[in-house]
Amino acid sequence: MTITRRSLLLRAPLAAGIIAAGLPSIARSQAASVKIRYLASRGGISPHELAAELGYFKGLGIELENVGYAAGGPESLFALASGSVDLGSAATPAVINSIAGGNDFVAAYPSNGINKEVKSVFYVLEDSPIKSIADIAGKTISVNTLGAHLDYTVREALRGVGLPPDAAKLVVVPGPQLEQTLRSRQVDVAGLGYWQATFAGQLVSNGGVRGVFNDTDVLGEIAGGFVVLRRDFIAANPDAARNFVEQSARASDWSRQNPDEARKVLAGVLDKRGENGELARFWTGFGLREKAAVTDRDVDFWVSVLERDGRLPKGKLKAADILYRPGETKTN
């Protein structure tokens, strides 16, 4: 496996998942015990974490183990490449970049999506002169990490108004410090990702801020990122991989049908981690389609962006190269 910080930051996106439908009973009865180590995201929860809390993995031989936090998707991909964890979770740009860079990863399922309800928003203080995307040129924007979703959203936003994609300065700020750095005017704009809805909700509830633009405005409705597994892990544990994806999708559907109950579960998870469970009331959901389904556009949009920018050779990757499909464990 090879992965470099340079390749994660300079190339870009892609990924996609799928959700296994109809799990044969034999997969359940013969599932061997498999531990899946992962890194959590502060202030949030993933579909597989929710599935574990709901007991969906019981009897399927799957045990999740939280081994810490990831500052962002690229960090979790580094950990996956090194073998420190068994799954990663990152924005589509970072995922496709890691695969293009030589890592034999598989996009297992989309971790989040963006739509009218679930979105990343770029906030400014109420008295800021920044009124539009064009106004962010030359300004400082906080993001949770470089080379991932917020980074590429800003690039596309600037390009869309005829400005160079690097016209704004991005600085890395951890989620819990985003509000403080904006209110103290250390940054001009605070980017809060769709996975940071708890922090965004608190920021808005404290008043004095407004959103300038969001990622759905820029990108349309699309998968935001993917949970990633190693191909050799899937080959060695085909039943566990299939069960893992299916039950994660099931949890996503449950959260959409039971949003208030899902927030209660999230509150409990945050409290157990030593975070502020009260923030769970601001959670807006995963933004995923039914059964966490993906479309060609979830992948093709970012492939075309990377090819357009010269960061990915034309024809190097296609959706079939990275999507998890139960029963297919060959190395491409």
Side-chain angles (χ1 to χ4, degrees):
M1 296 180 183
T2 57
I3 191 167
T4 66
R5 185 172 297 276
R6 176 180 175 80
S7 67
L8 274 172
L9 299 182
L10 298 185
R11 293 183 191 164
L14 209 294
I18 62 133
I19 308 318
L23 179 64
S25 59
I26 189 173
R28 296 178 180 271
S29 62
Q30 295 182 358
S33 180
V34 176
K35 179 177 288 187
I36 301 178
R37 299 164 298 163
Y38 72 95
L39 295 171
S41 177
R42 293 187 186 279
I45 192 173
S46 63
H48 50 267
E49 288 176 291
L50 179 59
E53 292 294 321
L54 295 174
Y56 287 175
F57 295 133
K58 289 182 179 178
L60 297 178
I62 296 173
E63 178 187 351
L64 296 189
E65 181 183 1
N66 180 355
V67 295
Y69 289 100
E75 182 178 327
S76 80
L77 294 180
F78 285 129
L80 181 61
S82 70
S84 300
V85 297
D86 304 300
L87 71 83
S89 182
T92 308
V95 173
I96 191 173
N97 180 61
S98 68
I99 294 172
N103 288 285
D104 204 9
F105 294 163
V106 177
Y109 76 87
S111 55
N112 294 83
I114 58 173
N115 53 38
K116 293 179 181 179
E117 289 76 38
V118 180
K119 62 189 74 174
S120 306
V121 181
F122 293 81
Y123 292 98
V124 297
L125 295 177
E126 194 66 56
D127 62 357
S128 170
I130 299 173
K131 306 291 185 181
S132 68
I133 292 173
D135 295 334
I136 69 175
K139 300 299 191 295
T140 301
I141 303 175
S142 61
V143 296
N144 68 306
T145 190
L146 300 177
H149 185 77
L150 296 179
D151 186 337
Y152 282 98
T153 296
V154 171
R155 292 171 187 259
E156 289 302 300
L158 289 166
R159 186 181 295 277
V161 296
L163 292 170
D166 59 353
K169 179 183 179 182
L170 303 186
V171 296
V172 175
V173 176
Q177 280 77 58
L178 286 168
E179 179 169 4
Q180 175 188 349
T181 54
L182 177 63
R183 294 194 185 280
S184 62
R185 302 181 188 272
Q186 296 177 60
V187 298
D188 301 300
V189 183
L192 284 98
Y194 50 77
W195 62 96
Q196 297 173 313
T198 52
F199 298 135
Q202 183 179 46
L203 172 67
V204 172
S205 70
N206 288 336
V209 300
R210 55 182 169 81
V212 177
F213 68 99
N214 64 68
D215 53 359
T216 307
D217 292 339
V218 176
L219 306 174
E221 295 192 7
I222 194 170
F226 291 84
V227 169
V228 181
L229 299 173
R230 293 192 307 272
R231 196 176 298 274
D232 59 357
F233 177 90
I234 293 175
N237 306 283
D239 287 346
R242 180 173 179 140
N243 287 333
F244 170 76
V245 171
E246 181 191 49
Q247 299 306 319
S248 296
R250 178 185 172 196
S252 173
D253 287 346
W254 179 86
S255 71
R256 187 173 57 254
Q257 297 157 4
N258 304 277
D260 292 337
E261 290 301 311
R263 292 186 185 97
K264 291 179 182 178
V265 174
L266 173 58
V269 169
L270 294 179
D271 285 337
K272 283 191 293 185
R273 293 180 189 165
E275 300 183 57
N276 183 4
E278 291 295 320
L279 296 181
R281 70 184 187 276
F282 299 122
W283 189 65
T284 54
F286 296 118
L288 294 175
R289 306 177 187 99
E290 185 177 359
K291 296 184 179 180
V294 297
T295 68
D296 288 347
R297 182 178 181 274
D298 293 328
V299 172
D300 293 340
F301 174 84
W302 289 113
V303 169
S304 64
V305 167
L306 296 180
E307 292 180 343
R308 177 199 68 197
D309 293 348
R311 301 177 186 277
L312 180 70
K314 287 187 178 296
K316 180 178 177 66
L317 283 177
K318 56 184 182 300
D321 298 326
I322 64 171
L323 298 182
Y324 166 66
R325 302 188 187 281
E328 297 180 13
T329 57
K330 64 184 180 182
T331 299
N332 292 326

